[in-house]
Amino acid sequence: MRILHTSDWHLGQHFIGRSRADEHHAFLHWLVTQVKAENIDVIIVAGDIFDTATPPSYARALYNQFIVELQSCQCQLIILGGNHDASAVLNESRTLLQHLNTHVFASSSSELNQQLLVLHNKQQQPAALLCAVPFLRARDLLQSQAGQSATEKQSSLQQAIAQHYQQLFALAQRYNSQHQLQLPIVMTGHLTTLGVTQSESVRDIYIGSLEAFPADAFPPADYIALGHIHQSQQIKANTDIRYSGSPIALSFDEANQQKQAWLIEFSSNNKTVSSLAIPCFQPLISIKTPLDSIKPKVQQVLNSLEKNKVLWLELVITETDAYLTDLQQRVEAELEGLAVELLRLRRQRNEQLGGLIDDAQASLAELTPSQVWQARLSSESLTDQQQQQLTNLHAQVLAKVQETP
């Protein structure tokens, strides 16, 4: 049994006004070729298939076309809902896709056996058990209780998630026992686990008040395939817990990451895990530089790219030049004639001043929501405790706004 673990496709994403359609098309074509070349039996997509709850028509077309192209490979496809995905969108074709060797798990089920699936190899023999856990929303697990403190809510939610995983794992064990089998147990999830490395494109999941789930609360499955974190990594734990990461860079701070998928092979009670490097379909980079070094630094990057590739660029101008009022025009003059698209121009923050370089010069696009919030708080006469309480409330509200239904 050979399983390919991927996640966080974010089909339909626009990156600072640029469509990712060509990149996603290239990635999905690459994925089909890998399924054939590596003789993959199962693909697990651990959440965030789409970037929004209402994906554009071309994103749905990419999704459907990929499933059609996969049919010649005799490969099972497992689709898990993420926090960006709307259950209704994924479920609208779920029954139809079952006839195309595709199983969709858009949300958790009150019937646990609906989340247990036997995975078959190409010889149609049972080869693994899948405990299919999508993004778990608080309303799916808990009933709100009046009077609970934030700490109590976090504890209750953590216990509910852990119980959901433990009950599913026990169900898989019973299946093995009842059928006198020893199939490896694979589990999935879409959440933040303690100890991960994040990037700026990841929207922290605040399920109720839970910020991260402890790794030791997962059951001792043979492999746990996670999504939500965009950097591929293995969690330090007794259980084999891994994030595949996103297949394309979704923010500039992911530009230097080697994107990959995990290939898991079970054979004769043994397991091996290796990585499949994903090609970069659209180069992008963030460069911190003074104004007079822009051209040589950008040219150095361009020299390393394939011909006819256009570089998507973020420039962070260091503080010596960041105060210039005609900065945009000067930067554009430096980049003239180069195969680049300047997607974002930022000024380096002066951390010693504890704020923005110049409120009048900094545009809203240069600031994160947290920076805007802190700038607003600084104009109020508040105690440290009041500021902290308001900041905590702001983080929870922001997460609710960003979380798709």
Side-chain angles (χ1 to χ4, degrees), residues 91-111:
N91 280 332
E92 65 186 7
S93 57
R94 179 172 59 87
T95 304
L96 174 62
L97 294 182
Q98 285 181 349
H99 298 281
L100 297 176
N101 212 15
T102 299
H103 299 270
V104 177
F105 299 89
S107 58
S108 62
S109 174
S110 58
E111 299 292 333

PDB file of all heavy atoms in Angstrom, residues 91-111:
ATOM      1  N   ASN A  91     -19.766  18.674  -0.233  1.00  0.00           N
ATOM      2  CA  ASN A  91     -20.788  17.618  -0.197  1.00  0.00           C
ATOM      3  C   ASN A  91     -21.681  17.582  -1.427  1.00  0.00           C
ATOM      4  O   ASN A  91     -22.337  16.573  -1.690  1.00  0.00           O
ATOM      5  CB  ASN A  91     -21.663  17.771   1.047  1.00  0.00           C
ATOM      6  CG  ASN A  91     -21.012  17.214   2.291  1.00  0.00           C
ATOM      7  OD1 ASN A  91     -20.201  16.291   2.213  1.00  0.00           O
ATOM      8  ND2 ASN A  91     -21.346  17.768   3.445  1.00  0.00           N
ATOM      9  N   GLU A  92     -21.734  18.669  -2.212  1.00  0.00           N
ATOM     10  CA  GLU A  92     -22.671  18.720  -3.324  1.00  0.00           C
ATOM     11  C   GLU A  92     -22.382  17.647  -4.390  1.00  0.00           C
ATOM     12  O   GLU A  92     -23.292  17.220  -5.099  1.00  0.00           O
ATOM     13  CB  GLU A  92     -22.668  20.115  -3.957  1.00  0.00           C
ATOM     14  CG  GLU A  92     -21.367  20.526  -4.618  1.00  0.00           C
ATOM     15  CD  GLU A  92     -21.387  21.972  -5.102  1.00  0.00           C
ATOM     16  OE1 GLU A  92     -22.371  22.686  -4.796  1.00  0.00           O
ATOM     17  OE2 GLU A  92     -20.421  22.389  -5.778  1.00  0.00           O
ATOM     18  N   SER A  93     -21.105  17.218  -4.466  1.00  0.00           N
ATOM     19  CA  SER A  93     -20.763  16.184  -5.457  1.00  0.00           C
ATOM     20  C   SER A  93     -20.299  14.896  -4.792  1.00  0.00           C
ATOM     21  O   SER A  93     -19.805  13.994  -5.471  1.00  0.00           O
ATOM     22  CB  SER A  93     -19.677  16.706  -6.405  1.00  0.00           C
ATOM     23  OG  SER A  93     -18.533  17.113  -5.676  1.00  0.00           O
ATOM     24  N   ARG A  94     -20.457  14.804  -3.475  1.00  0.00           N
ATOM     25  CA  ARG A  94     -19.897  13.665  -2.735  1.00  0.00           C
ATOM     26  C   ARG A  94     -20.450  12.332  -3.222  1.00  0.00           C
ATOM     27  O   ARG A  94     -19.695  11.373  -3.448  1.00  0.00           O
ATOM     28  CB  ARG A  94     -20.200  13.832  -1.240  1.00  0.00           C
ATOM     29  CG  ARG A  94     -19.696  12.693  -0.368  1.00  0.00           C
ATOM     30  CD  ARG A  94     -19.868  13.050   1.106  1.00  0.00           C
ATOM     31  NE  ARG A  94     -21.260  13.317   1.425  1.00  0.00           N
ATOM     32  CZ  ARG A  94     -22.140  12.375   1.779  1.00  0.00           C
ATOM     33  NH1 ARG A  94     -21.746  11.114   1.879  1.00  0.00           N
ATOM     34  NH2 ARG A  94     -23.388  12.685   2.067  1.00  0.00           N
ATOM     35  N   THR A  95     -21.773  12.224  -3.402  1.00  0.00           N
ATOM     36  CA  THR A  95     -22.386  10.958  -3.828  1.00  0.00           C
ATOM     37  C   THR A  95     -21.914  10.560  -5.222  1.00  0.00           C
ATOM     38  O   THR A  95     -21.598   9.397  -5.486  1.00  0.00           O
ATOM     39  CB  THR A  95     -23.917  11.065  -3.796  1.00  0.00           C
ATOM     40  OG1 THR A  95     -24.327  11.451  -2.484  1.00  0.00           O
ATOM     41  CG2 THR A  95     -24.562   9.733  -4.151  1.00  0.00           C
ATOM     42  N   LEU A  96     -21.841  11.530  -6.104  1.00  0.00           N
ATOM     43  CA  LEU A  96     -21.371  11.262  -7.468  1.00  0.00           C
ATOM     44  C   LEU A  96     -19.914  10.803  -7.455  1.00  0.00           C
ATOM     45  O   LEU A  96     -19.549   9.841  -8.151  1.00  0.00           O
ATOM     46  CB  LEU A  96     -21.526  12.519  -8.323  1.00  0.00           C
ATOM     47  CG  LEU A  96     -20.947  12.460  -9.745  1.00  0.00           C
ATOM     48  CD1 LEU A  96     -21.649  11.388 -10.569  1.00  0.00           C
ATOM     49  CD2 LEU A  96     -21.059  13.817 -10.421  1.00  0.00           C
ATOM     50  N   LEU A  97     -19.083  11.461  -6.653  1.00  0.00           N
ATOM     51  CA  LEU A  97     -17.659  11.153  -6.654  1.00  0.00           C
ATOM     52  C   LEU A  97     -17.348   9.777  -6.078  1.00  0.00           C
ATOM     53  O   LEU A  97     -16.291   9.210  -6.364  1.00  0.00           O
ATOM     54  CB  LEU A  97     -16.893  12.227  -5.874  1.00  0.00           C
ATOM     55  CG  LEU A  97     -16.896  13.631  -6.498  1.00  0.00           C
ATOM     56  CD1 LEU A  97     -16.066  14.592  -5.666  1.00  0.00           C
ATOM     57  CD2 LEU A  97     -16.374  13.595  -7.931  1.00  0.00           C
ATOM     58  N   GLN A  98     -18.256   9.231  -5.290  1.00  0.00           N
ATOM     59  CA  GLN A  98     -18.048   7.874  -4.781  1.00  0.00           C
ATOM     60  C   GLN A  98     -17.947   6.870  -5.923  1.00  0.00           C
ATOM     61  O   GLN A  98     -17.282   5.840  -5.800  1.00  0.00           O
ATOM     62  CB  GLN A  98     -19.194   7.479  -3.843  1.00  0.00           C
ATOM     63  CG  GLN A  98     -19.116   8.142  -2.475  1.00  0.00           C
ATOM     64  CD  GLN A  98     -20.250   7.705  -1.564  1.00  0.00           C
ATOM     65  OE1 GLN A  98     -21.214   7.065  -2.004  1.00  0.00           O
ATOM     66  NE2 GLN A  98     -20.150   8.045  -0.299  1.00  0.00           N
ATOM     67  N   HIS A  99     -18.600   7.164  -7.043  1.00  0.00           N
ATOM     68  CA  HIS A  99     -18.531   6.288  -8.219  1.00  0.00           C
ATOM     69  C   HIS A  99     -17.250   6.525  -9.023  1.00  0.00           C
ATOM     70  O   HIS A  99     -17.004   5.818 -10.008  1.00  0.00           O
ATOM     71  CB  HIS A  99     -19.758   6.508  -9.112  1.00  0.00           C
ATOM     72  CG  HIS A  99     -21.057   6.180  -8.439  1.00  0.00           C
ATOM     73  ND1 HIS A  99     -21.523   4.885  -8.293  1.00  0.00           N
ATOM     74  CD2 HIS A  99     -21.969   6.977  -7.836  1.00  0.00           C
ATOM     75  CE1 HIS A  99     -22.672   4.888  -7.651  1.00  0.00           C
ATOM     76  NE2 HIS A  99     -22.972   6.143  -7.354  1.00  0.00           N
ATOM     77  N   LEU A 100     -16.464   7.526  -8.611  1.00  0.00           N
ATOM     78  CA  LEU A 100     -15.189   7.826  -9.267  1.00  0.00           C
ATOM     79  C   LEU A 100     -14.023   7.565  -8.314  1.00  0.00           C
ATOM     80  O   LEU A 100     -12.985   8.242  -8.376  1.00  0.00           O
ATOM     81  CB  LEU A 100     -15.177   9.279  -9.754  1.00  0.00           C
ATOM     82  CG  LEU A 100     -16.218   9.635 -10.820  1.00  0.00           C
ATOM     83  CD1 LEU A 100     -16.167  11.120 -11.144  1.00  0.00           C
ATOM     84  CD2 LEU A 100     -16.001   8.807 -12.090  1.00  0.00           C
ATOM     85  N   ASN A 101     -14.211   6.604  -7.420  1.00  0.00           N
ATOM     86  CA  ASN A 101     -13.143   6.163  -6.512  1.00  0.00           C
ATOM     87  C   ASN A 101     -12.650   7.295  -5.616  1.00  0.00           C
ATOM     88  O   ASN A 101     -11.478   7.349  -5.233  1.00  0.00           O
ATOM     89  CB  ASN A 101     -11.974   5.583  -7.312  1.00  0.00           C
ATOM     90  CG  ASN A 101     -11.262   4.467  -6.556  1.00  0.00           C
ATOM     91  OD1 ASN A 101     -11.770   3.935  -5.577  1.00  0.00           O
ATOM     92  ND2 ASN A 101     -10.074   4.115  -7.009  1.00  0.00           N
ATOM     93  N   THR A 102     -13.574   8.231  -5.283  1.00  0.00           N
ATOM     94  CA  THR A 102     -13.236   9.401  -4.473  1.00  0.00           C
ATOM     95  C   THR A 102     -14.167   9.472  -3.272  1.00  0.00           C
ATOM     96  O   THR A 102     -15.387   9.405  -3.417  1.00  0.00           O
ATOM     97  CB  THR A 102     -13.365  10.697  -5.302  1.00  0.00           C
ATOM     98  OG1 THR A 102     -12.457  10.636  -6.404  1.00  0.00           O
ATOM     99  CG2 THR A 102     -13.061  11.924  -4.462  1.00  0.00           C
ATOM    100  N   HIS A 103     -13.591   9.610  -2.087  1.00  0.00           N
ATOM    101  CA  HIS A 103     -14.376   9.682  -0.854  1.00  0.00           C
ATOM    102  C   HIS A 103     -14.173  11.056  -0.224  1.00  0.00           C
ATOM    103  O   HIS A 103     -13.038  11.480   0.007  1.00  0.00           O
ATOM    104  CB  HIS A 103     -13.952   8.586   0.120  1.00  0.00           C
ATOM    105  CG  HIS A 103     -14.156   7.198  -0.415  1.00  0.00           C
ATOM    106  ND1 HIS A 103     -15.322   6.490  -0.240  1.00  0.00           N
ATOM    107  CD2 HIS A 103     -13.339   6.400  -1.151  1.00  0.00           C
ATOM    108  CE1 HIS A 103     -15.216   5.313  -0.823  1.00  0.00           C
ATOM    109  NE2 HIS A 103     -14.020   5.234  -1.389  1.00  0.00           N
ATOM    110  N   VAL A 104     -15.275  11.732   0.032  1.00  0.00           N
ATOM    111  CA  VAL A 104     -15.252  13.087   0.566  1.00  0.00           C
ATOM    112  C   VAL A 104     -15.747  13.079   2.009  1.00  0.00           C
ATOM    113  O   VAL A 104     -16.820  12.556   2.303  1.00  0.00           O
ATOM    114  CB  VAL A 104     -16.127  14.038  -0.283  1.00  0.00           C
ATOM    115  CG1 VAL A 104     -16.147  15.433   0.327  1.00  0.00           C
ATOM    116  CG2 VAL A 104     -15.622  14.087  -1.718  1.00  0.00           C
ATOM    117  N   PHE A 105     -14.953  13.685   2.897  1.00  0.00           N
ATOM    118  CA  PHE A 105     -15.317  13.842   4.301  1.00  0.00           C
ATOM    119  C   PHE A 105     -15.268  15.336   4.614  1.00  0.00           C
ATOM    120  O   PHE A 105     -14.233  15.877   4.993  1.00  0.00           O
ATOM    121  CB  PHE A 105     -14.358  13.064   5.204  1.00  0.00           C
ATOM    122  CG  PHE A 105     -14.343  11.582   4.940  1.00  0.00           C
ATOM    123  CD1 PHE A 105     -13.465  11.046   3.994  1.00  0.00           C
ATOM    124  CD2 PHE A 105     -15.195  10.724   5.608  1.00  0.00           C
ATOM    125  CE1 PHE A 105     -13.443   9.683   3.734  1.00  0.00           C
ATOM    126  CE2 PHE A 105     -15.189   9.357   5.360  1.00  0.00           C
ATOM    127  CZ  PHE A 105     -14.315   8.833   4.416  1.00  0.00           C
ATOM    128  N   ALA A 106     -16.409  15.983   4.415  1.00  0.00           N
ATOM    129  CA  ALA A 106     -16.454  17.441   4.537  1.00  0.00           C
ATOM    130  C   ALA A 106     -16.519  17.901   5.981  1.00  0.00           C
ATOM    131  O   ALA A 106     -16.026  18.978   6.324  1.00  0.00           O
ATOM    132  CB  ALA A 106     -17.646  17.990   3.756  1.00  0.00           C
ATOM    133  N   SER A 107     -17.142  17.103   6.847  1.00  0.00           N
ATOM    134  CA  SER A 107     -17.288  17.458   8.252  1.00  0.00           C
ATOM    135  C   SER A 107     -17.383  16.177   9.067  1.00  0.00           C
ATOM    136  O   SER A 107     -17.574  15.088   8.514  1.00  0.00           O
ATOM    137  CB  SER A 107     -18.524  18.336   8.477  1.00  0.00           C
ATOM    138  OG  SER A 107     -19.695  17.673   8.031  1.00  0.00           O
ATOM    139  N   SER A 108     -17.260  16.319  10.386  1.00  0.00           N
ATOM    140  CA  SER A 108     -17.347  15.144  11.241  1.00  0.00           C
ATOM    141  C   SER A 108     -18.771  14.616  11.258  1.00  0.00           C
ATOM    142  O   SER A 108     -19.733  15.341  10.980  1.00  0.00           O
ATOM    143  CB  SER A 108     -16.893  15.477  12.659  1.00  0.00           C
ATOM    144  OG  SER A 108     -17.739  16.453  13.233  1.00  0.00           O
ATOM    145  N   SER A 109     -18.917  13.344  11.594  1.00  0.00           N
ATOM    146  CA  SER A 109     -20.228  12.689  11.605  1.00  0.00           C
ATOM    147  C   SER A 109     -20.561  12.221  13.013  1.00  0.00           C
ATOM    148  O   SER A 109     -19.675  11.826  13.781  1.00  0.00           O
ATOM    149  CB  SER A 109     -20.227  11.493  10.644  1.00  0.00           C
ATOM    150  OG  SER A 109     -21.437  10.767  10.754  1.00  0.00           O
ATOM    151  N   SER A 110     -21.847  12.284  13.345  1.00  0.00           N
ATOM    152  CA  SER A 110     -22.278  11.756  14.648  1.00  0.00           C
ATOM    153  C   SER A 110     -22.169  10.240  14.677  1.00  0.00           C
ATOM    154  O   SER A 110     -22.098   9.631  15.741  1.00  0.00           O
ATOM    155  CB  SER A 110     -23.719  12.195  14.930  1.00  0.00           C
ATOM    156  OG  SER A 110     -24.592  11.753  13.896  1.00  0.00           O
ATOM    157  N   GLU A 111     -22.152   9.616  13.493  1.00  0.00           N
ATOM    158  CA  GLU A 111     -21.949   8.169  13.380  1.00  0.00           C
ATOM    159  C   GLU A 111     -20.474   7.918  13.063  1.00  0.00           C
ATOM    160  O   GLU A 111     -20.029   8.126  11.929  1.00  0.00           O
ATOM    161  CB  GLU A 111     -22.843   7.585  12.278  1.00  0.00           C
ATOM    162  CG  GLU A 111     -24.331   7.771  12.506  1.00  0.00           C
ATOM    163  CD  GLU A 111     -24.842   6.943  13.682  1.00  0.00           C
ATOM    164  OE1 GLU A 111     -24.220   5.902  13.976  1.00  0.00           O
ATOM    165  OE2 GLU A 111     -25.833   7.345  14.310  1.00  0.00           O
TER     166      GLU A 111
END
